[in-house]
Amino acid sequence: MEEPYRVNGRITAREVRVVGEGIEQGVYPLREALRLADDQGLDLVEISAKAVPPVCRIVEYSKFKYEQKKKQKEIKAKAQKTVLKEIRFGPNTDDHDFNFKLKHAKNFLEDGCKVKAYVHFVGRTIVFKERGEILLLKFAQALEDHAKVDQLPKLEGKRMIIMLSPKKAAK
């Protein structure tokens, strides 16, 4: 595995901006920066290669790597994972089934999940496309307090799909 940062002898710039604790911060020739790091028994780590001159920190490299890994883990843990729940209708879904599925969709949205509702047309029921669209629009309208429509009803093959996402984030 390749190291994400250049350390000590791998740094190629002639001059570097040095930062760190107990060091006079500033721009130094590479040799002098390496000597400063060596005097303290630490490593010179290039943390921003794109800057002009590149920014380097005098730090113990293994400790620095550990801190970076820890930060990445925290960021990953805080990232919100979106869950997609599907709700299936038929073009002739009656009111009781509709209300039952509506209740489930509300629960999904309150939990912060996205909802993909679709009408599945089997065989010749494809001739009732407008029924499916009306059903999905009625579904979206019933959920307008809980969700916003990401994608209006769209026919994809034998399915007419509508995408909804929660209005406010999950608790």
Coordinates of all heavy atoms in Angstrom, one line a residue, residues 4-58:
P4 N 0.1 7.8 2.0 CA -0.6 9.0 1.5 C 0.2 10.3 1.6 O -0.1 11.2 0.9 CB -1.9 9.0 2.4 CG -1.5 8.3 3.6 CD -0.5 7.3 3.2
Y5 N 1.2 10.3 2.4 CA 2.0 11.5 2.6 C 3.5 11.2 2.3 O 3.9 10.1 2.6 CB 1.9 12.0 4.1 CG 0.5 12.3 4.5 CD1 -0.3 11.4 5.2 CD2 -0.1 13.5 4.2 CE1 -1.6 11.7 5.5 CE2 -1.4 13.8 4.5 CZ -2.2 12.9 5.2 OH -3.4 13.2 5.6
R6 N 4.2 12.2 1.8 CA 5.6 12.1 1.6 C 6.3 12.4 2.9 O 5.9 13.4 3.6 CB 6.1 13.0 0.5 CG 5.7 12.4 -0.8 CD 6.3 13.2 -1.9 NE 5.4 14.2 -2.4 CZ 5.5 14.8 -3.6 NH1 6.5 14.6 -4.4 NH2 4.6 15.7 -3.9
V7 N 7.3 11.7 3.3 CA 8.0 11.8 4.6 C 9.5 12.0 4.3 O 10.1 11.3 3.5 CB 7.7 10.6 5.5 CG1 8.3 10.8 6.9 CG2 6.3 10.3 5.6
N8 N 10.1 12.8 5.1 CA 11.6 13.0 5.1 C 12.2 13.1 3.7 O 11.9 14.0 2.9 CB 12.3 12.0 6.0 CG 11.8 12.1 7.4 OD1 11.5 13.2 7.9 ND2 11.8 11.0 8.1
G9 N 13.0 12.1 3.3 CA 13.7 12.0 2.0 C 12.8 12.0 0.8 O 13.3 12.2 -0.3
R10 N 11.6 11.7 1.0 CA 10.7 11.5 -0.2 C 10.1 12.9 -0.7 O 9.5 13.0 -1.7 CB 9.5 10.6 0.1 CG 10.0 9.2 0.4 CD 9.0 8.2 0.1 NE 9.6 6.9 0.2 CZ 8.9 5.8 0.3 NH1 7.6 5.9 0.3 NH2 9.5 4.7 0.4
I11 N 10.3 13.9 0.2 CA 9.8 15.3 -0.2 C 10.7 15.8 -1.3 O 11.9 15.8 -1.2 CB 9.8 16.2 1.0 CG1 8.9 15.6 2.1 CG2 9.3 17.6 0.7 CD1 8.9 16.3 3.4
T12 N 10.1 16.3 -2.4 CA 10.9 16.7 -3.5 C 11.1 18.2 -3.7 O 11.9 18.7 -4.5 CB 10.2 16.2 -4.8 OG1 8.9 16.6 -4.9 CG2 10.3 14.6 -4.9
A13 N 10.3 19.0 -3.0 CA 10.4 20.5 -3.1 C 11.7 21.0 -2.6 O 12.4 20.4 -1.7 CB 9.3 21.1 -2.3
R14 N 12.2 22.2 -3.2 CA 13.4 22.8 -2.7 C 13.2 23.5 -1.4 O 14.0 23.5 -0.5 CB 14.0 23.7 -3.8 CG 14.9 23.0 -4.7 CD 15.6 23.9 -5.6 NE 14.6 24.2 -6.7 CZ 14.9 24.7 -7.8 NH1 16.1 25.2 -8.1 NH2 14.0 24.8 -8.8
E15 N 12.0 24.2 -1.3 CA 11.7 25.0 -0.1 C 10.3 24.5 0.4 O 9.5 24.1 -0.4 CB 11.5 26.4 -0.4 CG 12.8 27.2 -0.6 CD 12.6 28.7 -0.7 OE1 11.5 29.1 -1.2 OE2 13.4 29.4 -0.2
V16 N 10.2 24.5 1.7 CA 8.9 24.0 2.4 C 8.5 25.0 3.5 O 9.4 25.6 4.1 CB 9.1 22.6 2.9 CG1 9.2 21.6 1.8 CG2 10.2 22.5 4.0
R17 N 7.2 25.1 3.7 CA 6.7 25.9 4.8 C 6.6 24.9 5.9 O 5.9 23.9 5.8 CB 5.4 26.5 4.4 CG 4.8 27.4 5.5 CD 3.5 28.1 5.1 NE 3.6 28.9 3.9 CZ 4.1 30.1 3.9 NH1 4.5 30.7 5.1 NH2 4.2 30.8 2.8
V18 N 7.2 25.2 7.0 CA 7.3 24.3 8.2 C 6.3 24.8 9.3 O 6.3 26.0 9.6 CB 8.7 24.1 8.8 CG1 8.7 23.2 10.0 CG2 9.6 23.6 7.7
V19 N 5.5 23.9 9.8 CA 4.6 24.2 10.9 C 4.7 23.1 11.9 O 5.2 22.0 11.6 CB 3.1 24.3 10.4 CG1 2.9 25.4 9.5 CG2 2.6 23.0 9.8
G20 N 4.3 23.3 13.1 CA 4.4 22.3 14.2 C 4.6 23.0 15.5 O 4.8 24.2 15.6
E21 N 4.6 22.2 16.6 CA 4.8 22.7 17.9 C 6.3 22.9 18.2 O 7.1 22.1 17.8 CB 4.2 21.8 19.0 CG 2.7 21.8 19.0 CD 2.1 20.6 18.3 OE1 2.6 19.5 18.6 OE2 1.1 20.7 17.6
G22 N 6.6 24.0 18.9 CA 8.0 24.3 19.3 C 8.9 24.6 18.2 O 10.1 24.4 18.3
I23 N 8.4 25.0 17.1 CA 9.2 25.3 15.9 C 8.9 26.8 15.4 O 7.7 27.1 15.4 CB 9.0 24.4 14.7 CG1 9.2 22.9 15.2 CG2 9.8 24.7 13.5 CD1 8.2 22.0 14.7
E24 N 9.9 27.5 15.0 CA 9.7 28.8 14.4 C 9.0 28.5 13.0 O 9.7 27.9 12.1 CB 11.0 29.5 14.2 CG 10.9 30.8 13.5 CD 10.8 32.0 14.4 OE1 11.2 31.9 15.5 OE2 10.3 33.0 13.9
Q25 N 7.8 28.9 12.9 CA 7.1 28.6 11.6 C 7.6 29.5 10.5 O 7.8 30.7 10.8 CB 5.6 28.7 11.8 CG 5.0 27.7 12.8 CD 3.5 27.7 12.8 OE1 2.9 28.4 12.1 NE2 3.0 27.0 13.7
G26 N 7.7 29.0 9.3 CA 8.2 29.8 8.2 C 8.6 28.9 7.1 O 8.5 27.7 7.1
V27 N 9.2 29.6 6.0 CA 9.6 28.9 4.8 C 11.1 28.6 5.0 O 11.9 29.5 5.3 CB 9.4 29.8 3.6 CG1 9.9 29.0 2.3 CG2 7.9 30.1 3.4
Y28 N 11.5 27.3 4.8 CA 12.9 26.9 5.0 C 13.3 26.1 3.8 O 12.5 25.5 3.1 CB 13.0 25.9 6.2 CG 12.8 26.5 7.5 CD1 11.5 26.5 8.1 CD2 13.8 27.1 8.2 CE1 11.3 27.0 9.4 CE2 13.6 27.7 9.5 CZ 12.3 27.6 10.1 OH 12.1 28.2 11.3
P29 N 14.6 26.1 3.5 CA 15.1 25.2 2.5 C 14.9 23.8 3.0 O 14.9 23.5 4.2 CB 16.6 25.5 2.4 CG 16.8 26.8 3.0 CD 15.7 27.0 4.0
L30 N 14.7 22.8 2.1 CA 14.4 21.4 2.5 C 15.4 20.9 3.5 O 15.0 20.2 4.5 CB 14.2 20.6 1.3 CG 13.8 19.1 1.5 CD1 12.5 19.0 2.2 CD2 13.8 18.3 0.2
R31 N 16.7 21.1 3.2 CA 17.8 20.5 4.0 C 17.6 21.0 5.5 O 17.8 20.2 6.4 CB 19.1 20.9 3.5 CG 19.8 19.8 2.9 CD 21.2 20.1 2.4 NE 21.3 19.4 1.2 CZ 22.4 19.4 0.5 NH1 23.5 20.1 0.9 NH2 22.5 18.7 -0.6
E32 N 17.4 22.3 5.6 CA 17.3 22.9 7.0 C 16.1 22.3 7.7 O 16.1 22.0 8.9 CB 17.2 24.4 6.9 CG 17.5 25.1 8.2 CD 17.5 26.6 8.1 OE1 18.0 27.1 7.0 OE2 17.2 27.2 9.1
A33 N 15.0 22.2 6.9 CA 13.7 21.6 7.5 C 13.9 20.2 8.0 O 13.5 19.8 9.1 CB 12.6 21.7 6.5
L34 N 14.6 19.4 7.2 CA 14.9 18.0 7.6 C 15.9 18.0 8.8 O 15.7 17.2 9.7 CB 15.6 17.3 6.4 CG 14.7 16.9 5.3 CD1 15.5 16.5 4.0 CD2 13.7 15.8 5.7
R35 N 16.8 18.9 8.9 CA 17.7 19.0 10.0 C 16.9 19.4 11.3 O 17.1 18.8 12.3 CB 18.8 20.0 9.8 CG 19.9 20.0 10.8 CD 21.0 21.1 10.6 NE 20.4 22.4 10.4 CZ 19.9 23.1 11.4 NH1 19.8 22.7 12.7 NH2 19.4 24.4 11.2
L36 N 16.0 20.3 11.2 CA 15.2 20.7 12.3 C 14.4 19.5 12.8 O 14.3 19.3 14.1 CB 14.2 21.8 11.9 CG 14.7 23.2 11.8 CD1 13.6 24.1 11.2 CD2 15.0 23.8 13.2
A37 N 13.8 18.7 11.9 CA 13.0 17.6 12.3 C 13.9 16.5 13.0 O 13.6 15.9 14.0 CB 12.3 17.0 11.1
D38 N 15.1 16.3 12.4 CA 16.1 15.3 12.9 C 16.6 15.7 14.3 O 16.7 14.8 15.1 CB 17.2 15.2 11.9 CG 18.0 13.9 12.0 OD1 17.3 12.9 12.3 OD2 19.2 13.9 11.9
D39 N 16.8 17.0 14.5 CA 17.3 17.5 15.8 C 16.3 17.1 16.9 O 16.7 16.9 18.1 CB 17.5 19.0 15.8 CG 18.7 19.4 15.0 OD1 19.5 18.5 14.6 OD2 18.9 20.6 14.7
Q40 N 15.0 17.1 16.6 CA 14.0 16.8 17.6 C 13.6 15.3 17.6 O 12.8 14.9 18.4 CB 12.7 17.6 17.3 CG 12.9 19.1 17.5 CD 11.6 19.8 17.2 OE1 10.5 19.3 17.3 NE2 11.8 21.1 16.9
G41 N 14.2 14.5 16.7 CA 14.0 13.1 16.7 C 12.6 12.8 16.1 O 12.0 11.8 16.4
L42 N 12.1 13.7 15.2 CA 10.8 13.6 14.6 C 10.9 13.5 13.1 O 12.0 13.6 12.6 CB 9.9 14.7 15.0 CG 9.6 14.9 16.5 CD1 8.9 16.2 16.8 CD2 8.8 13.7 17.0
D43 N 9.8 13.4 12.4 CA 9.8 13.3 11.0 C 9.2 14.6 10.4 O 8.4 15.3 11.0 CB 8.9 12.1 10.5 CG 9.4 10.8 11.1 OD1 10.5 10.4 10.8 OD2 8.5 10.1 11.7
L44 N 9.7 14.9 9.1 CA 9.1 16.0 8.4 C 8.1 15.4 7.4 O 8.4 14.5 6.6 CB 10.2 16.7 7.6 CG 9.8 17.9 6.8 CD1 9.5 19.0 7.8 CD2 10.9 18.4 5.9
V45 N 6.8 15.7 7.6 CA 5.7 15.1 6.8 C 5.1 16.2 6.0 O 4.7 17.2 6.5 CB 4.6 14.5 7.8 CG1 3.5 13.9 7.0 CG2 5.3 13.5 8.7
E46 N 5.0 15.9 4.7 CA 4.4 16.9 3.7 C 2.8 16.7 3.8 O 2.3 15.7 3.4 CB 4.8 16.6 2.3 CG 4.4 17.6 1.3 CD 5.0 17.2 -0.1 OE1 4.7 16.1 -0.6 OE2 5.7 18.1 -0.6
I47 N 2.2 17.7 4.4 CA 0.7 17.6 4.6 C -0.1 18.3 3.5 O -1.3 18.0 3.3 CB 0.3 18.1 6.0 CG1 0.8 19.5 6.2 CG2 0.7 17.2 7.1 CD1 0.3 20.2 7.5
S48 N 0.5 19.2 2.8 CA -0.2 19.9 1.7 C 0.8 20.1 0.6 O 1.5 21.1 0.5 CB -0.8 21.2 2.2 OG -1.4 21.9 1.1
A49 N 0.8 19.1 -0.3 CA 1.8 19.1 -1.4 C 1.4 20.2 -2.5 O 2.3 20.6 -3.2 CB 1.8 17.7 -2.1
K50 N 0.1 20.5 -2.6 CA -0.3 21.5 -3.7 C 0.0 22.9 -3.3 O -0.1 23.8 -4.2 CB -1.8 21.2 -3.9 CG -2.1 19.9 -4.6 CD -3.4 19.8 -5.1 CE -3.8 18.6 -5.9 NZ -3.2 17.3 -5.6
A51 N 0.3 23.2 -2.1 CA 0.5 24.6 -1.7 C 1.9 25.0 -2.3 O 2.7 24.2 -2.6 CB 0.5 24.7 -0.2
V52 N 2.1 26.3 -2.4 CA 3.4 26.9 -2.9 C 3.9 27.8 -1.8 O 3.3 28.8 -1.5 CB 3.2 27.6 -4.2 CG1 4.5 28.2 -4.7 CG2 2.6 26.8 -5.2
P53 N 5.0 27.5 -1.1 CA 5.7 26.2 -1.1 C 4.9 25.1 -0.4 O 4.0 25.5 0.4 CB 7.0 26.5 -0.4 CG 6.7 27.6 0.5 CD 5.6 28.4 -0.2
P54 N 5.2 23.8 -0.6 CA 4.4 22.8 0.1 C 4.5 22.9 1.7 O 5.5 23.4 2.2 CB 5.2 21.5 -0.3 CG 5.9 21.8 -1.6 CD 6.2 23.3 -1.5
V55 N 3.4 22.6 2.3 CA 3.4 22.7 3.8 C 3.8 21.4 4.4 O 3.3 20.3 4.0 CB 2.0 23.1 4.3 CG1 1.9 23.2 5.8 CG2 1.5 24.4 3.6
C56 N 4.8 21.5 5.3 CA 5.3 20.3 6.0 C 5.1 20.5 7.5 O 5.2 21.6 8.0 CB 6.7 20.0 5.7 SG 7.0 19.6 4.0
R57 N 4.9 19.4 8.2 CA 4.8 19.4 9.7 C 5.8 18.5 10.3 O 6.1 17.5 9.8 CB 3.4 18.9 10.1 CG 3.2 19.0 11.6 CD 1.8 18.5 12.0 NE 0.9 19.6 11.7 CZ -0.4 19.4 11.5 NH1 -1.0 18.2 11.7 NH2 -1.2 20.4 11.2
I58 N 6.4 19.0 11.4 CA 7.4 18.2 12.1 C 6.6 17.5 13.2 O 6.1 18.1 14.1 CB 8.5 19.1 12.7 CG1 9.3 19.7 11.5 CG2 9.4 18.3 13.6 CD1 10.5 20.6 12.0

